[in-house]
Amino acid sequence: MFEQTFKNIDDVLWKEAGCTTELDYTEQTSWLLFLKYLDDLEQERWMAAALMGKAYTFLLDEPYRWSSWAAPKDAEGELDHDHALTGDDLIEFVNGDLFPYLQGFKARASSPNTIEYKIGEIFGEIKNKFQSGYSLRDALEYVDELRFGSQEEKHELSHLYEAKIKNMGNAGRNGGEYYTPRPLIRAMIAVVQPQLGERIYDGACGSAGFLCEAYEFLRRGQLTTRQLEELQTQTFTGKEKKSLAYVIGIMNMILHGIDAPNIIHTNTLAENLSDVQDKHRFDVILANPPFGGKERKEVQQNFPIKTGETAFLFLQHFIKLLRRGGRGAVVIKNTFLSNSDNASRALRRELLSSCNLHTVLDCPGGTFIGAGVKTVVLFFEKGTPTQKVWFYQLDPGRSLGKTNPLNDEDLREFVEFQASFKESERSWLLDVAEVDPESFDLSVKNPNAPEEEPLRDPREILAEIAALDAESAEILAGIGGML
């Protein structure tokens, strides 16, 4: 229903000089979608209040509402061209009036959990990149065709938006930081099995893929109004450092059905781990923290194990923020399992002693589009030391890439086998008692892989070629005799 509208918006952005990358397209689409969503939400609340004979106070003052500046309508419900700003007037209004007004919401909000605070935070981070008021007018008219009224409409929009995020990830550069393949996320959730009433956390949430998929997982079945309310307001917490990812994460959660997502715009690693109290802890942690980054010395001071590697700091953060008995599933570089530097060894020791690292999923190259590194997923439960680790070597039987990405079927066997820690040609158990107590080396060494055929003797191969040549000559001679 809305697919063509999204294509039309992309066409407008493609011709707009201020937008040059998939990241720009997603960013600009995001703020337009957000304001249209806000207007639909306000109209819905106003009508509900009117039906009950109550007054409704709009969040936005009238000149800044979508229906006033973006899509004013005439008596017939058509766009009122006499009152619709366009050209330089439109750009001037958006940059000079609208954005400063929306940025001011942050200071006026009662708490960071309110939609008012999110409005201020989003528009404090994002900039209008439209340079042509005529292009922006076209984009506004297309966005105005979208509806956020029903669950079905939101569901379709969330799928289209996810596709945009995926394209942004595939476009490379830093777009890939925000995108974890959804089949991998779903498999991680299927293993961790979050439950209603548990608190779920991602401290490096990017486009909020883990939180959105966990929400979809928990929404299955008939939920009571109270359960839905708890899912909306008390279940999910995300933190994100980068502005664009923060905005996209909020929009993604809104489209999945969470009105005021609890995503905090902060550098997660700036928090001192010694300040963490029980009330800050979570039942479930799902994450794909950035790797390869380097953190400054003052940030490293917040951690018991000092290292510049961002992913290793995040892993310490996640272990600390899990409550006792809590479950984690975290994507990390596969070199974490075998690196011999002091920090890697200390971190493996810490993980094995404070948590039960029960499962390691070894992902093939190409799982993450555009990332040259190979990854593993660590599944652990906090509170009891590890005795055995079950490894599974994922092999989809084909090369993964942009046109041939990971799918749910690729991970079906992993999820099935993991439930009983089944051993096979691709899976095996490692007894931690056999791990070197000095190195704590956990590298992936499959003892069950079928032995490769030994290399054949070159003379045998030459003899086979000669025999095939003789056979071909015989066939050709036979054909020649028939002519």
Side-chain angles (χ1 to χ4, degrees):
M1 184 166 61
F2 296 139
E3 197 168 353
Q4 188 55 49
T5 305
F6 261 64
K7 283 190 178 128
N8 292 340
I9 296 165
D10 271 354
D11 285 344
V12 173
L13 288 161
W14 188 70
K15 293 169 193 154
E16 169 57 50
C19 301
T20 54
T21 68
E22 283 282 354
L23 275 76
D24 293 335
Y25 297 175
T26 310
E27 177 187 53
Q28 296 306 297
T29 306
S30 298
W31 74 261
L32 294 171
L33 281 176
F34 181 77
L35 291 180
K36 176 66 170 81
Y37 158 78
L38 205 56
D39 196 63
D40 282 13
L41 181 71
E42 292 255 79
Q43 293 298 333
E44 204 178 294
R45 288 177 175 177
W46 172 70
M47 283 167 74
L51 286 170
M52 294 169 76
K54 292 180 179 174
Y56 177 72
T57 308
F58 280 83
L59 287 170
L60 305 187
D61 294 337
E62 184 155 14
Y64 305 103
R65 289 178 211 158
W66 181 270
S67 42
S68 298
W69 69 272
K73 302 289 196 313
D74 59 22
E76 276 76 53
E78 297 296 318
L79 185 74
D80 184 347
H81 290 282
D82 294 336
H83 293 96
L85 294 169
T86 192
D88 291 345
D89 293 344
L90 179 56
I91 297 293
E92 213 170 284
F93 170 76
V94 167
N95 293 341
D97 294 345
L98 179 68
F99 270 59
Y101 168 76
L102 295 171
Q103 284 160 10
F105 267 73
K106 190 172 169 180
R108 298 193 290 271
S110 56
S111 93
N113 294 338
T114 57
I115 197 155
E116 289 94 329
Y117 187 91
K118 303 295 176 210
I119 293 168
E121 186 83 329
I122 285 172
F123 287 92
E125 292 306 329
I126 216 162
K127 286 183 172 53
N128 165 43
K129 288 188 178 167
F130 282 91
Q131 292 173 5
S132 159
Y134 299 101
S135 293
L136 179 53
R137 167 53 52 211
D138 288 344
L140 291 169
E141 288 177 29
Y142 286 130
V143 172
D144 193 55
E145 294 170 8
L146 303 173
R147 294 282 171 273
F148 294 83
S150 70
Q151 202 54 50
E152 288 74 32
E153 286 167 333
K154 274 189 191 165
H155 189 68
E156 188 189 349
L157 283 166
S158 72
H159 275 293
L160 291 165
Y161 194 67
E162 281 272 349
K164 280 196 89 51
I165 300 168
K166 186 176 182 179
N167 289 342
M168 188 176 78
N170 288 348
R173 281 186 44 225
N174 51 351
E177 288 176 23
Y178 313 139
Y179 190 77
T180 305
R182 296 319 184 233
L184 181 61
I185 292 178
R186 287 191 283 271
M188 289 164 71
I189 291 168
V191 169
V192 172
Q193 288 288 313
Q195 305 296 310
L196 285 167
E198 292 186 318
R199 294 176 66 228
I200 300 167
Y201 174 64
D202 180 353
C205 71
S207 60
F210 283 99
L211 302 179
C212 290
E213 288 292 344
Y215 177 72
E216 293 294 333
F217 179 84
L218 291 169
R219 266 191 70 240
R220 293 172 190 168
Q222 291 297 307
L223 302 188
T224 64
T225 310
R226 189 155 174 270
Q227 285 173 322
L228 275 168
E229 171 73 13
E230 194 174 345
L231 259 188
Q232 280 270 344
T233 57
Q234 292 161 45
T235 302
F236 303 102
T237 300
K239 289 177 187 162
E240 176 52 48
K241 176 180 172 181
K242 295 197 170 176
S243 304
L244 176 57
Y246 169 78
V247 172
I248 291 168
I250 283 188
M251 196 65 234
N252 203 15
M253 288 190 80
I254 283 173
L255 289 175
H256 278 81
I258 296 172
D259 288 342
N262 186 24
I263 297 183
I264 301 150
H265 190 213
T266 182
N267 179 2
T268 306
L269 301 178
E271 297 166 30
N272 196 319
L273 286 196
S274 58
D275 297 338
V276 172
Q277 297 168 28
D278 238 18
K279 62 181 179 184
H280 301 133
R281 293 194 164 100
F282 295 89
D283 303 287
V284 171
I285 288 176
L286 298 158
N288 173 17
F291 26 79
K294 290 283 172 267
E295 289 297 333
R296 297 189 311 276
K297 284 277 187 286
E298 64 267 28
V299 170
Q300 294 181 39
Q301 294 316 307
N302 297 322
F303 296 86
I305 300 168
K306 309 283 183 279
T307 168
E309 169 58 69
T310 309
F312 292 1
L313 298 177
F314 267 110
L315 190 53
Q316 291 181 70
H317 173 84
F318 294 141
I319 294 169
K320 185 77 173 180
L321 263 78
L322 263 187
R323 67 162 181 77
R324 190 175 173 81
R327 287 113 50 222
V330 177
V331 180
I332 203 160
K333 273 195 299 194
N334 71 345
T335 50
F336 163 72
L337 299 174
S338 57
N339 275 355
S340 58
D341 60 284
N342 291 340
S344 300
R345 291 208 314 261
L347 191 47
R348 287 197 294 273
R349 186 192 305 123
E350 167 64 21
L351 181 61
L352 292 172
S353 60
S354 65
C355 300
N356 173 20
L357 173 66
H358 56 80
T359 298
V360 172
L361 170 62
D362 181 37
C363 298
T367 298
F368 291 85
I369 309 297
V373 295
K374 280 192 72 184
T375 54
V376 291
V377 185
L378 309 175
F379 295 85
F380 50 92
E381 190 169 315
K382 186 169 170 183
T384 52
T386 309
Q387 292 183 326
K388 282 186 162 57
V389 185
W390 182 75
F391 284 81
Y392 183 92
Q393 211 158 24
L394 184 63
D395 177 13
R398 64 184 195 282
S399 291
L400 298 176
K402 207 179 283 192
T403 55
N404 204 352
L406 201 64
N407 61 49
D408 289 297
E409 185 57 29
D410 293 329
L411 287 142
R412 190 178 52 78
E413 185 186 87
F414 160 69
V415 174
E416 192 185 304
F417 284 13
Q418 194 279 336
S420 61
F421 302 116
K422 181 177 174 178
E423 294 199 58
S424 69
E425 286 187 354
R426 296 184 192 179
S427 55
W428 65 96
L429 279 163
L430 170 72
D431 192 328
V432 170
E434 294 169 13
V435 171
D436 181 338
E438 278 296 303
S439 69
F440 288 95
D441 189 325
L442 296 172
S443 35
V444 178
K445 296 183 186 108
N446 183 353
N448 300 341
E451 281 188 34
E452 287 186 17
E453 292 285 320
L455 290 173
R456 291 163 66 196
D457 187 289
R459 282 170 298 198
E460 187 190 327
I461 296 168
L462 286 169
E464 193 175 314
I465 291 169
L468 287 168
D469 281 349
E471 197 179 318
S472 301
E474 201 176 309
I475 292 165
L476 284 169
I479 292 168
M482 293 158 91
L483 295 174

